Amino acid sequence: GPFGVRRAILAAHDTDGLVEAWRRLPQAFVSLLDAGLPPQDVGRVLSLAGDALTQRLLELTSTGLGAPPAPWAWLALGSGARSELTLGSDQDNALAYGDTGDPEAPAYFAALAEAVNDGLARCGFGDDEAGVLARDPRWRKTESEWLATFEDCLVQPDRSGLVRAAIAFDFRHVSGGLPIVGPLVGVLQRAREHPDFLRALARTATDWRPPLGFRGGLVLERDRDRG
């Protein structure tokens, strides 16, 4: 079951052990379905297991790298942030670290992110097609840089800013001691002061048009197969 998977994750001493523990997840997934658990609850259970996996990878990696030069926070984005993981979910994550000015900080956190992203990939979490991974400098910033990024999304609601907002604003803290959640939420709460941003974000909801048939009804996948 999922608790057995979590225990195996926490007991793993290296990435190979984590890969072996994670291989048990499909069986746990089937057991949850057989027990009649609602889909949203299955997603939450899988997300908790994913959090445990990420946290253990961070622990093992930071032990190998040594003491971090600044406080940090690992953030889940997308479906992981919403606790909606599935067996086919890819990676969506980001990393924030404190503004200590330590010259070793950028290289340290680049190595940390690279190792954790690689470990998650070995466990079956594919790379996000848009490159939303902590190893990418666009998703690995200092606290002040992240706050500035969130502010820019509100002030400059161009296409690029809206894409960043749609991804980055959907976040959840997974691990690390940097208290960045409150400051970031504070920026989000000021969105009402930026009507241009709100209007532009609302318009993006109409960018995707559902497939409609001749009479205006939805065209489903089975209908396309018949055609």
Side-chain angles (χ1 to χ4, degrees):
F3 294 108
V5 174
R6 188 173 186 275
R7 283 195 299 270
I9 289 171
L10 297 178
H13 296 293
D14 53 29
T15 304
D16 289 340
L18 289 173
V19 172
E20 186 61 31
W22 198 252
R23 286 176 180 167
R24 305 181 188 181
L25 193 67
Q27 184 177 356
F29 177 78
V30 172
S31 70
L32 294 174
L33 294 179
D34 289 343
L37 204 67
Q40 62 269 26
D41 291 337
V42 174
R44 293 190 188 99
V45 172
L46 294 182
S47 297
L48 287 173
D51 287 354
L53 177 68
T54 303
Q55 290 160 3
R56 190 61 180 142
L57 277 168
L58 286 162
E59 291 172 359
L60 294 172
T61 304
S62 59
T63 298
L65 292 174
W72 54 272
W74 187 274
L75 305 174
L77 307 175
S79 61
R82 298 187 299 272
S83 296
E84 296 174 351
L85 281 190
T86 70
L87 293 180
S89 293
D90 58 11
Q91 293 189 55
D92 294 281
N93 44 58
L95 179 64
Y97 57 95
D99 294 279
T100 62
D102 190 318
E104 297 182 0
Y108 179 96
F109 290 110
L112 178 70
E114 185 73 34
V116 174
N117 284 152
D118 286 348
L120 290 171
R122 286 188 58 191
C123 290
F125 287 95
D127 290 351
D128 178 75
E129 293 183 358
V132 184
L133 299 164
R135 69 182 178 212
D136 189 319
R138 294 175 298 175
W139 301 98
R140 187 184 67 254
K141 305 173 184 285
T142 64
E143 179 178 11
S144 61
E145 289 172 337
W146 271 117
L147 291 172
T149 297
F150 272 44
E151 291 280 2
D152 287 345
C153 290
L154 299 180
V155 175
Q156 301 178 15
D158 54 16
R159 185 67 181 175
S160 176
L162 290 172
V163 170
R164 286 198 307 273
I167 299 171
F169 286 10
D170 196 7
F171 73 91
R172 181 172 59 83
H173 178 258
V174 172
S175 188
L178 180 68
I180 194 173
V181 173
L184 290 179
V185 171
V187 176
L188 296 182
Q189 289 174 336
R190 296 198 296 275
R192 70 192 67 167
E193 302 170 10
H194 300 274
D196 290 342
F197 167 78
L198 295 177
R199 281 193 292 269
L201 188 64
R203 282 198 298 271
T204 63
T206 63
D207 288 348
W208 182 83
R209 297 185 180 279
L212 300 178
F214 177 73
R215 298 180 182 276
L218 285 174
V219 178
L220 304 179
E221 192 67 31
R222 62 172 181 266
D223 298 327
R224 293 175 176 175
D225 294 341
R226 291 169 184 166

